[in-house]
């Protein structure tokens, strides 16, 4: 492993950027891939934990809905056979007292949500409802006012018509018989029965809509006198027997698959056609198939696997107490009904019925549990089969589907956080009945084409609603606990990774550049040392051998002196560089006037500038010359000499060979020293780089000039050591370096 890194490390030492990038990329991948995998795994675990949390909420919601429906059905299951009659016997049979049935209340009050009303179908297909007294019983004699009786009769007609539309009872008006409870009577002015033409049925009943408030009392007396005759004709057993008997077998066919109901063996064709209609109707009410929802079940399967493991680990413990369907079986009850000759006493008007003693009959009945089925009309029906004296009766509840779904399911669903992040699909067997959209104003969907997501939970209700299935699908899964911490951790790790490797890359590239600059510096210093030494040795040998006459002897001595000064400055710069790289710039700050410092500089460089063919000019401000600054005289001289050497080096081919040195006081009380040349100037993109250590421009001019690349870096460092600043601007022509120092106190 270590051997694999060596080529990259050698590449850095050798100054190869490609190897550095390859090494850092390999290191980044070696760290980022495992870290990303761990974070991805953590995200997945958090997602599953959030999913499992909401799945438990969905399961608890289904259990609450199921328990509430179970309690309601339990109360309905406990109702006696005789409760589906208008009057029944109160208390013990020995009491021999009649009272109104609890199902005879108006408006209808039921435990199950959305109930339209109760009904009963006799063995011969005769329809009845506890809303109406027995045929032949005057409503006013059992405490039912005429207006209320008309409303009861209207509701009974509605119940019968809905059942008839779904072929559960015979539609007498469609069969050619006389109008029954499905029709109301004609109403004349003021609410009295309208005169009937010849051939009209006397069984039609008045509506409450025509009763006027101003003369209601008088008209009600007349109506109460006539209603028994109407009701007696409308509800008489003779009338029911005149119609074709309607077999109860249609109720047997409600919960059978359509293919079984289409052609049952041994049944009459008419019965099969009627029985098949409800099964086909259920397909017509469907929005599609549950299996076609296209929900992702991966998390659901994972949660079920986890739950199975928990159940196996807790086998025999309380955690095995899952929701179990109650035992539902046929029960036997003793029932008492008024005798056939029983009649309410005249003038009885109390809702509780009459107090007089009545002859009663006692019998034993067998009651089956309730069954459930949807109808083609969009209603629901709960019904049970009761056996009495060898005859079977159908007793049941007609339910409005939308009210049932809203009150029994949607209200509980909307009260939970699930409604903000899931859609709830209600299905019957394999069909989609409706879709409750989570977090939207519209509760029900007319289609399911956009229902895509993740399956959260799917469960069926208990009997008799075992064919109803609730399917929760996630449209927006909220982050689970710790998700924000993991998100910020991921961001921090990503920032640290990217920033760290960028910093490493910049550091590596800086080291590569520094290595190259150091190599260039060694080469430049060798050249800078070799050139003056060669000149000094050559001129010294010529003088020693006496090869020059007296007129040139002075000139050669000047060459030797200048080259010695050049060597001195070079060595001084190198020594100063060594102190700077060790962060040990040694300066001896003392108060000195600007004039004294400039005079010292002029004495050191005046002759050298002249011999180089340049003109040196000073533009000094007398007021500035007397200003005192804290400076190291040798360092100040080294700064200015380096700037002058740099100016002569880069402007040797300029048309104007002149170096200007000036001083001035600025408006903020600082001393400014200017050194200007008339060369080509400094490119804008290099103005901030030229003060860097070992920096040399890659232009042709730079390559043709001598230099080590440390002069301006030393200028910058020494100026900072004396609390000053250095900057450069381009002039036309040339460049101007500006030194700024604070005035000493």
């Amino acid at each position: 492993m270590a051997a694999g890194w060596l080529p990259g490390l050698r590449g850095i030492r050798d100054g190869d950027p490609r190897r550095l990038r390859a090494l850092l990329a390999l290191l980044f991948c070696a760290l980022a891939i495992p870290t990303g995998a761990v974070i991805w795994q953590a995200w997945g675990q958090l997602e599953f934990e959030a999913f499992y949390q909401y799945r438990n909420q969905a399961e608890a919601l289904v259990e609450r809905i199921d328990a509430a429906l179970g309690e309601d059905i339990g109360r309905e299951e406990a109702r006696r056979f005789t409760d589906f009659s208008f009057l029944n016997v109160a208390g013990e049979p020995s009491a021999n007292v009649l009272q109104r049935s609890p199902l005879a209340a108006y408006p209808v009050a039921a435990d199950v949500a959305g109930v339209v009303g109760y009904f009963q179908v006799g063995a011969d297909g005769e329809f009845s409802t506890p809303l109406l007294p027995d045929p032949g019983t005057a409503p006013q004699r059992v405490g039912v006012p005429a207006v209320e009786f008309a409303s009861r009769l209207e509701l009974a007609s509605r119940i019968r018509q809905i059942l008839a539309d779904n072929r559960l009872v015979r539609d007498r008006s469609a069969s050619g018989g006389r109008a029954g409870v499905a029709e109301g009577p004609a109403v004349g002015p003021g609410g009295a029965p309208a005169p009937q033409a010849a051939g009209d049925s006397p069984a039609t009943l008045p509506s409450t809509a025509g009763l006027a408030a101003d003369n209601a009392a008088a008209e009600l007396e007349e109506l109460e006198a006539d209603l028994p005759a109407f009701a007696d004709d409308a509800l008489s057993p003779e009338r029911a027997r005149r119609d074709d008997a309607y077999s109860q077998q249609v109720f047997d066919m409600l919960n059978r698959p359509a293919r079984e109901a289409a052609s049952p063996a041994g049944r009459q064709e008419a019965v099969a056609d009627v029985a098949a209609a409800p099964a086909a109707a259920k397909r017509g009410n469907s929005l599609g198939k549950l299996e076609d929802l296209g929900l992702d079940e991966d998390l659901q399967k994972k949660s079920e696997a986890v739950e199975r493991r928990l159940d196996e680990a807790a086998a025999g413990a309380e955690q095995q107490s899952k929701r179990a369907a109650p035992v539902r079986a046929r029960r036997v009850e003793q029932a008492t009904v008024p005798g056939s000759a029983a009649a309410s006493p005249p003038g009885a008007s109390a809702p509780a019925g009459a107090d007089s003693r009545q002859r009663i009959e006692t019998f034993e009945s067998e009651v089956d549990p309730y069954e459930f089925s949807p109808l083609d009309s969009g209603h629901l029906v709960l019904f049970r089969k009761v056996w009495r004296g060898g005859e079977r009766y159908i007793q049941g509840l007609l339910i409005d589907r939308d009210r049932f779904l809203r009150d029994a399911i949607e209200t509980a669903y909307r009260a939970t956080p699930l409604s903000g992040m899931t859609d709830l699909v209600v299905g019957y067997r394999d069909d989609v009945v409706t879709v409750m959209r989570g977090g939207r104003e519209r509760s029900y969907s007319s289609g399911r084409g956009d229902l895509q997501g993740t399956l959260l939970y799917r469960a069926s209700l208990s009997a008799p609603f075992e064919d109803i299935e609730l399917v929760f699908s996630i449209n927006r899964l909220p982050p689970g606990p710790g998700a924000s911490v993991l998100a910020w951790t991921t961001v921090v790790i990503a920032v640290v990774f990217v920033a760290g490797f960028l910093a490493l890359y910049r550091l590596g590239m800086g080291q590569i550049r520094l290595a190259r600059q150091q190599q260039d510096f060694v080469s430049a210093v060798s050249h800078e040392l070799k050139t003056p030494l060669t000149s000094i040795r050559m001129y010294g040998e010529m003088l020693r051998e006496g090869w020059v006459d007296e007129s040139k002897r002075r000139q050669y001595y000047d060459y030797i002196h200048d080259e010695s000064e050049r060597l001195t400055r070079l060595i001084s710069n190198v020594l100063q560089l060594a102190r700077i790289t060790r962060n040990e710039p040694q300066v001896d700050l003392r108060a000195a006037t600007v004039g004294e410092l400039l005079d010292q500089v002029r004495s050191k460089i005046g002759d050298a500038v002249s011999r180089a063919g340049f003109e040196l000019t000073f533009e000094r401000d007398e007021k500035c010359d007397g200003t005192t600054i804290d400076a190291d005289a040798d360092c100040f001289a080294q700064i200015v000499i380096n700037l002058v050497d740099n100016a002569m080096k880069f402007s040797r081919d300029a048309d104007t060979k002149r170096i200007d040195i000036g001083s001035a006081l600025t408006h903020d009380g600082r001393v400014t020293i200017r050194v200007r040349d008339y060369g080509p100037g400094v490119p804008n993109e290099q103005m901030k780089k030229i003060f860097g250590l070992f920096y040399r421009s890659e232009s042709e001019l730079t390559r043709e000039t001598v230099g080590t690349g440390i002069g301006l870096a030393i200028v910058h460092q020494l100026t900072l050591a004396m609390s000053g600043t250095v900057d450069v601007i381009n002039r036309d022509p040339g460049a101007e370096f500006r030194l700024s120092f604070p005035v000493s106190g």
Side-chain angles (χ1 to χ4, degrees):
M1 180 66 182
W5 297 99
L6 292 179
L9 297 177
R10 284 197 298 267
I12 296 176
R13 291 196 301 267
D14 296 340
D16 189 351
R18 291 178 299 177
R19 290 192 176 184
L20 173 64
R21 288 192 289 267
L23 176 64
L24 291 179
L26 182 61
L27 181 60
F28 182 85
C29 292
L31 294 177
I33 291 177
T35 304
V38 171
I39 293 175
W40 181 264
Q41 183 69 21
W43 272 113
Q45 185 63 29
L46 283 179
E47 180 186 22
F48 174 72
E49 290 178 359
F51 175 90
Y52 194 75
Q53 173 188 355
Y54 286 104
R55 180 185 181 275
N56 289 338
Q57 291 185 17
E59 183 178 6
L61 174 61
V62 173
E63 290 180 354
R64 289 198 303 271
I65 293 174
D66 192 60
L69 288 174
E71 292 177 1
D72 295 340
I73 293 298
R75 286 189 286 268
E76 295 295 336
E77 296 271 13
R79 296 195 187 278
R80 299 175 298 169
F81 169 81
T82 56
D83 287 345
F84 282 79
S85 300
F86 185 82
L87 292 177
N88 55 29
V89 177
E92 297 295 331
S94 59
N96 196 21
V97 177
L98 296 181
Q99 70 174 5
R100 191 179 299 182
S101 168
L103 303 186
Y106 184 83
V108 176
D111 294 317
V112 179
V115 172
V116 178
Y118 294 86
F119 67 90
Q120 177 175 280
V121 179
D124 57 355
E126 176 189 351
F127 168 84
S128 64
T129 174
L131 290 170
L132 300 177
D134 293 337
T137 303
Q140 70 273 15
R141 297 181 64 83
V142 290
V144 179
V147 175
E148 181 183 331
F149 180 75
S151 299
R152 286 171 175 265
L153 192 59
E154 184 178 358
L155 178 57
S157 300
R158 178 187 170 202
I159 296 172
R160 175 166 188 158
Q161 189 60 47
I162 293 173
L163 295 177
D165 291 342
N166 291 277
R167 302 186 182 183
L168 296 178
V169 298
R170 180 71 66 189
D171 187 352
R172 288 175 180 154
S173 61
S175 64
R178 301 172 66 185
V181 293
E183 297 180 0
V187 180
Q196 298 178 358
D200 286 350
S201 171
T204 54
L205 297 176
S207 170
T208 60
L211 298 177
D214 52 355
N215 57 357
E219 293 173 350
L220 283 176
E221 291 180 1
E222 180 182 357
L223 183 60
E224 288 174 354
D226 295 336
L227 276 174
F230 294 131
D232 182 61
D233 183 75
L235 305 175
S236 63
E238 293 79 4
R239 171 95 182 252
R241 283 192 292 270
R242 282 198 302 266
D243 294 326
D244 295 335
Y246 193 75
S247 174
Q248 295 176 356
Q249 291 173 345
V250 67
F251 284 94
D252 297 331
M253 306 302 296
L254 277 178
N255 288 324
R256 293 189 182 181
R259 62 178 180 271
E260 296 180 8
S263 58
R267 300 191 184 277
Q268 298 179 356
E269 184 177 355
V271 174
D273 292 340
V274 172
K282 285 177 279 187
R283 293 194 302 270
N285 285 330
S286 173
L287 298 178
K289 294 293 183 182
L290 289 173
E291 62 185 14
D292 297 332
L293 293 180
L295 300 177
D296 184 2
E297 301 184 13
D298 290 342
L299 287 176
Q300 171 71 2
K301 293 177 181 177
K302 181 179 179 181
S303 64
E304 290 176 352
V306 171
E307 196 165 290
R308 281 196 301 270
R309 289 197 297 269
L310 292 175
D311 291 343
E312 292 171 0
E318 293 183 356
Q319 273 179 299
Q320 293 295 328
S321 59
K322 292 290 183 181
R323 178 167 55 95
V327 177
R328 306 175 71 245
R330 178 181 296 183
R331 61 183 174 87
V332 178
E333 67 176 15
Q334 297 291 329
T336 55
V337 296
S340 58
S344 298
S349 59
D355 293 334
S356 63
R357 302 284 176 166
Q358 302 290 335
R359 184 170 62 85
I360 64 173
E361 297 178 359
T362 303
F363 62 91
E364 186 177 83
S365 61
E366 296 180 356
V367 184
D368 279 356
Y370 270 104
E371 300 179 42
F372 167 81
S373 178
L375 301 177
D376 189 20
S377 60
H379 293 80
L380 309 174
V381 63
L382 273 170
F383 64 95
R384 67 184 183 182
K385 301 164 188 175
V386 182
W387 278 263
R388 172 193 173 188
E391 293 183 340
R392 187 176 72 169
Y393 294 79
I394 300 295
Q395 296 179 335
L397 302 79
L398 184 64
I399 303 172
D400 181 274
R401 187 187 71 178
D402 291 343
R403 285 171 52 197
F404 174 80
L405 294 176
R406 182 183 65 246
D407 297 343
I409 297 178
E410 185 181 10
T411 300
Y413 167 66
R414 297 294 178 190
T416 65
L418 295 171
S419 60
M421 43 79 68
T422 64
D423 294 331
L424 175 56
V425 180
V426 180
Y428 179 78
R429 295 185 177 174
D430 293 331
D431 296 325
V432 176
V433 176
T434 189
V435 179
M436 300 176 186
R437 298 293 184 182
R440 306 183 188 179
E441 296 180 0
R442 183 162 56 97
S443 299
Y444 298 100
S445 172
S446 59
R448 57 173 185 82
D450 60 342
L451 189 61
Q452 301 292 331
T454 300
L455 176 63
L456 177 65
Y457 185 66
R458 181 174 184 172
S460 299
L461 300 178
S462 299
F465 302 108
E466 68 273 14
D467 289 329
I468 293 182
E469 193 169 14
L470 303 183
V471 181
F472 296 84
S473 65
I474 298 173
N475 54 43
R476 182 186 61 84
L477 182 61
S484 58
V485 175
L486 182 59
W488 280 109
T489 302
T490 303
V491 172
V492 170
I493 290 176
V495 170
V496 170
F497 266 44
V498 173
F501 277 90
L502 285 177
L504 286 176
Y505 178 73
R506 292 173 62 89
L507 179 61
M509 290 301 297
Q511 292 299 316
I512 290 175
R513 287 192 297 268
L514 182 60
R516 289 180 175 177
Q517 290 170 349
Q518 288 176 340
Q519 293 173 359
D520 294 341
F521 170 72
V522 171
S523 176
V525 167
S526 300
H527 178 74
E528 290 289 309
L529 291 174
K530 183 177 180 180
T531 301
L533 286 175
T534 301
S535 299
I536 291 173
R537 186 176 62 181
M538 180 185 67
Y539 290 124
E541 289 179 353
M542 293 176 66
L543 290 173
R544 185 187 62 185
E545 298 295 335
W547 292 346
V548 293
D549 53 19
E550 191 65 30
S551 60
K552 291 186 177 182
R553 193 181 295 268
R554 178 68 181 177
Q555 181 181 358
Y556 286 179
Y557 285 134
D558 291 338
Y559 283 143
I560 293 173
H561 179 271
D562 293 341
E563 293 300 324
S564 300
E565 289 289 330
R566 180 179 172 186
L567 281 174
T568 301
R569 291 195 300 271
L570 178 59
I571 293 172
S572 177
N573 285 339
V574 172
L575 294 176
Q576 192 67 47
L577 173 64
R579 289 192 293 267
I580 290 174
T581 53
R582 294 195 304 267
N583 295 322
E584 299 175 359
Q586 297 179 356
V587 292
D588 184 14
L589 298 180
R590 295 182 180 181
T593 63
V594 176
E596 294 174 350
L597 295 173
L598 291 179
D599 288 340
Q600 181 181 1
V601 170
R602 185 168 192 171
S603 64
K604 289 184 176 182
I605 64 173
D607 294 339
V609 171
S610 298
R611 284 193 294 271
F614 283 83
E615 177 184 358
L616 182 63
T617 62
F618 282 83
E619 300 175 356
R620 298 166 58 173
D621 185 355
E622 294 182 359
K623 184 177 181 182
C624 182
D625 281 351
T627 303
T628 302
I629 62 174
D630 292 330
D632 185 318
D634 293 335
C635 290
F636 182 85
Q638 186 176 359
I639 290 171
V640 177
I641 292 172
N642 284 351
L643 291 177
V644 171
D645 282 344
N646 187 76
M648 291 190 297
K649 183 193 312 179
F650 287 96
S651 60
R652 63 180 185 177
D653 296 330
D655 295 337
T656 302
K657 293 188 176 183
R658 191 175 76 188
I659 306 296
D660 295 337
I661 299 177
S663 62
L665 280 174
T666 61
H667 63 280
D668 56 352
R670 295 177 67 88
V671 172
T672 300
I673 307 297
R674 304 186 306 275
V675 178
R676 179 192 175 184
D677 62 65
Y678 292 84
V682 181
N684 293 330
E685 67 274 8
Q686 297 183 14
M687 284 187 173
K688 298 297 182 182
K689 300 178 181 179
I690 59 177
F691 295 105
L693 190 61
F694 305 131
Y695 180 79
R696 296 186 70 197
S697 173
E698 295 298 328
S699 65
E700 290 295 330
L701 178 61
T702 304
R703 285 198 289 265
E704 293 175 357
T705 59
V706 294
T708 60
I710 64 174
L712 293 180
I714 292 175
V715 168
H716 180 255
Q717 293 295 331
L718 292 179
T719 303
L720 291 179
M722 291 189 294
S723 303
T725 59
V726 59
D727 198 5
V728 59
I729 60 172
N730 282 322
R731 303 292 294 272
D732 189 18
E736 181 177 283
F737 288 83
R738 293 182 177 181
L739 304 171
S740 177
F741 298 98
V743 176
S744 63

